[in-house]
């Protein structure tokens, strides 16, 4: 009995958590909102909303530039947020945390600066077949400008990387490996430890797109020994327009500045500019101060809730969702990896995903439909897109039951 009581006291209080998110009390088309589009963006707890508002109400000022009280208070809060992020991912130094606009911005920063300094004709970059466009297009651009080649790790029918093919692609021409930690479409969790180990054996740096991983699992950049890692604030219950690029001190010092302007300089003359030290070398211009502070609040909220409890509940929820969805007649899962998190993509009979998505919306159920910025992946499966339900810790089994009932109702209308 003691063991059972212990489980109950350490379990997630989902009802209380849902009260922390004001938008979950909203009605959509007169029905309670069932929000299953967390892969696109997560909702924000009240503490994040209030923290961002408090910045604007009480100490709105620019950072790093002023000696007056408000500027110092804003600077302290902004840099405190950097410390919170560094602690959350276990960075060795706070200066290894660069604030960006988001995952896309972070990848562009690395691809652009790597391309300018380290890529040349005859070199190659490896990505995977399941990448989001934001981890395809910047590398295509870098390769086009430098004359390098883009190589793609293939996937199997379950949506898992073919690791033997990855090993075969790793040769002396490869200068960077950039892969997603968790697929935004299929939820596949990639074997990133193995990818990093194989790449590092050849002294090749690795970038991880953690946009769909950071909110679902504990990430320790030092244990992973990853060179670069990127994620977005709005996917982890923080504001939009803010993100993080983590890079090792060694690599961030090797890369040239990405943009020029205020705060990324030490001295400027018309003859020469001396660039600032890390992290400011990569933070040109006035940053998204409120966003960074709000991201810090979001991470604090997660830490207080307990990432281990969150992960445990999400795994239970996903298992329940897959079990219930499998009972729907004519369902086809797009990606069915052994290790997965977050997203579940599917099609029903020959119904177009948009049609199904619209009828679910009429029932107050928010899912994502389309190619999810993964057109090459859709081409791989020879489909126009999918319906994607993406789960998080404020979702409930009742949400899943409503989704299944909603799908069955929609299918009866469409067939």
């Amino acid at each position: 009995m003691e063991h059972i009581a212990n489980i109950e006291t350490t379990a997630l209080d989902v009802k209380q958590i849902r009260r922390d998110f004001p938008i979950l009390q909203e009605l959509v088309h007169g029905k309670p909102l069932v929000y299953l589009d967390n892969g696109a963006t997560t909702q924000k707890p009240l503490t994040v909303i209030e923290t961002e508002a408090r910045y604007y109400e009480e100490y709105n000022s620019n950072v790093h530039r002023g000696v007056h009280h408000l500027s110092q208070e804003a600077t302290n809060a902004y840099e405190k947020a950097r410390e919170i992020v560094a602690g959350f991912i276990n960075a060795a130094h706070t200066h290894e945390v660069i604030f960006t606009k988001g995952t896309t911005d972070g990848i562009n920063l690395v691809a652009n600066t790597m391309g300018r300094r380290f890529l040349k004709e005859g070199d190659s970059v490896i990505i995977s077949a399941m990448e989001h466009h934001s981890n395809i297009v910047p590398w295509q651009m870098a390769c086009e400008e430098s004359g390098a080649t883009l190589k793609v790790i293939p996937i199997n029918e379950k949506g898992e990387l073919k690791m033997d093919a990855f090993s075969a692609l790793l040769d002396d021409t490869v200068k960077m490996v950039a892969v997603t930690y968790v697929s935004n479409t299929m939820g596949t969790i990639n074997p990133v430890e193995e990818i990093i180990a194989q790449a590092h054996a050849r002294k090749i740096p690795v970038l991880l797109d953690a946009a769909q991983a950071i909110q679902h699992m504990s990430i320790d950049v030092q244990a992973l020994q990853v060179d670069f890692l990127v994620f977005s604030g709005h996917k982890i219950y923080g504001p939009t327009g803010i993100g993080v690029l983590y890079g090792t001190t060694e690599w961030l010092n090797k890369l040239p500045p990405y943009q020029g302007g205020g705060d990324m300089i030490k001295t400027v003359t018309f003859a020469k500019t001396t660039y600032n030290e890390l992290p400011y070398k990569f933070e040109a211009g006035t940053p998204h101060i409120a966003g960074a502070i709000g991201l810090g609040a979001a991470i604090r909220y997660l830490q207080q809730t307990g990432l281990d409890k969150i992960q445990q509940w999400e795994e239970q929820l996903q298992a329940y969702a897959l079990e219930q969805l499998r009972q729907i007649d004519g369902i086809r899962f797009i990606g069915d990896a052994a290790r997965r998190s977050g997203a579940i993509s599917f099609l029903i009979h020959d119904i177009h995903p948009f049609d199904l998505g619209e009828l679910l919306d009429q029932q107050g159920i928010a899912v994502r439909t389309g190619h999810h910025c993964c057109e090459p992946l859709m081409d791989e499966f020879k489909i126009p897109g999918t319906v994607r339900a993406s789960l998080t810790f404020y979702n409930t089994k009742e949400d899943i039951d409503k989704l299944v009932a909603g799908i069955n109702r929609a299918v009866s209308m469409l067939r």
Side-chain angles (χ1 to χ4, degrees):
M1 286 300 292
E2 280 179 23
H3 181 61
I4 292 168
N6 186 49
I7 288 173
E8 286 173 354
T9 55
T10 57
L12 210 60
D13 186 349
V14 182
K15 279 187 179 175
Q16 177 54 51
I17 282 164
R18 287 179 66 82
R19 285 194 284 270
D20 292 339
F21 290 80
I23 204 168
L24 297 181
Q25 323 316 320
E26 288 292 308
L27 297 179
V28 173
H29 302 301
K31 298 177 178 63
L33 171 64
V34 176
Y35 188 76
L36 297 169
D37 194 20
N38 297 288
T41 197
T42 51
Q43 300 303 341
K44 321 306 172 196
L46 193 58
T47 180
V48 169
I49 297 166
E50 289 176 342
T51 297
E52 196 166 5
R54 195 177 307 119
Y55 162 75
Y56 286 121
E57 288 173 356
E58 297 178 9
Y59 59 101
N60 173 50
S61 182
N62 216 326
V63 292
H64 303 142
R65 300 187 178 108
V67 295
H68 61 81
H69 173 74
L70 292 185
S71 181
Q72 290 186 4
E73 197 172 342
T75 299
N76 290 341
Y78 181 74
E79 291 303 333
K80 177 62 180 173
R82 197 189 307 276
E83 288 174 20
I84 291 168
V85 173
F88 186 60
I89 60 174
N90 195 31
H93 309 282
T94 54
H95 66 242
E96 293 178 330
V97 170
I98 311 295
F99 284 125
T100 64
K101 289 186 294 186
T103 302
T104 302
D105 191 36
I107 295 170
N108 272 275
L109 188 162
V110 178
N112 178 283
T113 53
M114 279 288 297
R116 278 157 45 205
R117 183 153 292 181
F118 293 103
L119 292 181
K120 62 183 187 308
E121 199 166 341
D123 289 340
S124 63
V125 173
I126 294 178
I127 60 170
S128 85
M130 66 176 76
E131 298 308 317
H132 188 281
H133 293 168
S134 63
N135 201 33
I136 300 173
V137 180
W139 296 110
Q140 284 178 330
M141 292 165 69
C143 286
E144 282 170 13
E145 287 166 16
S146 63
T149 305
L150 197 63
K151 298 180 181 180
V152 182
I153 312 165
I155 57 172
N156 63 23
E157 67 285 349
K158 288 189 171 183
E160 300 164 324
L161 292 180
K162 293 183 177 178
M163 290 300 289
D164 54 344
F166 169 65
S167 302
L169 290 173
L170 276 176
D171 57 31
D172 293 340
T173 70
V174 180
K175 294 295 182 283
M176 169 62 86
V177 175
V179 292
T180 188
Y181 198 139
V182 174
S183 165
N184 74 304
T185 299
M186 303 178 293
T188 304
I189 302 174
N190 284 324
V192 294
E193 295 90 349
E194 190 183 339
I195 289 167
I196 292 166
Q198 286 196 38
H200 282 185
R202 288 180 166 270
K203 295 186 168 51
I204 300 164
V206 177
L207 177 143
L208 287 183
D209 172 354
Q212 301 290 341
I214 192 74
Q215 66 279 58
H216 297 302
M217 59 194 71
S218 180
I219 293 178
D220 182 332
V221 291
Q222 289 189 75
L224 280 173
Q225 296 187 313
V226 69
D227 304 281
F228 301 102
L229 181 134
V230 290
F231 65 89
S232 299
H234 73 99
K235 308 270 193 194
I236 188 173
Y237 319 102
T240 55
I242 188 73
V244 168
L245 163 65
Y246 159 81
T248 62
T249 301
E250 179 189 2
W251 269 107
L252 291 175
N253 278 328
K254 283 182 188 176
L255 297 181
Y258 177 48
Q259 295 174 321
D263 237 27
M264 56 75 66
I265 52 88
K266 269 190 175 173
T267 60
V268 176
T269 68
F270 287 118
K272 181 167 176 58
T273 293
T274 305
Y275 303 125
N276 210 339
E277 61 201 15
L278 295 174
Y280 312 113
K281 169 183 167 185
F282 293 108
E283 293 183 6
T286 297
H288 186 4
I289 303 163
I293 295 167
L295 174 57
I299 290 173
R300 274 202 306 267
Y301 178 82
L302 284 187
Q303 289 171 323
Q304 286 160 6
T305 305
L307 208 61
D308 53 342
K309 292 184 196 177
I310 288 170
Q311 190 170 354
Q312 191 177 26
W313 173 242
E314 287 181 349
E315 285 171 359
Q316 287 179 38
L317 203 59
Q318 187 177 68
Y320 181 76
L322 287 166
E323 178 190 311
Q324 297 303 308
L325 287 166
R326 283 187 207 283
Q327 295 172 31
I328 296 173
D329 180 55
I331 195 165
R332 174 192 171 194
F333 290 104
I334 305 304
D336 205 1
R339 292 183 69 227
R340 58 187 302 164
S341 177
I344 301 171
S345 269
F346 56 89
L347 294 167
I348 313 277
H349 297 294
D350 57 353
I351 295 169
H352 198 284
F354 290 173
D355 296 336
L356 188 56
E358 284 186 8
L359 286 179
L360 287 173
D361 176 60
Q362 291 301 313
Q363 300 172 69
I365 302 165
V367 295
R368 179 77 27 171
T369 59
H371 55 62
H372 318 297
C373 294
C374 290
E375 285 190 64
L377 181 67
M378 300 300 134
D379 293 343
E380 183 92 12
F381 284 104
K382 298 179 173 55
I383 55 174
T386 75
V387 177
R388 183 187 72 184
S390 44
L391 313 174
T392 193
F393 70 110
Y394 48 62
N395 289 127
T396 62
K397 289 184 177 179
E398 186 185 6
D399 288 343
I400 306 303
D401 294 340
K402 285 182 178 178
L403 172 66
V404 171
I407 290 169
N408 284 326
R409 193 172 295 121
V411 170
S412 69
M413 295 168 70
L414 290 167
R415 295 197 86 218

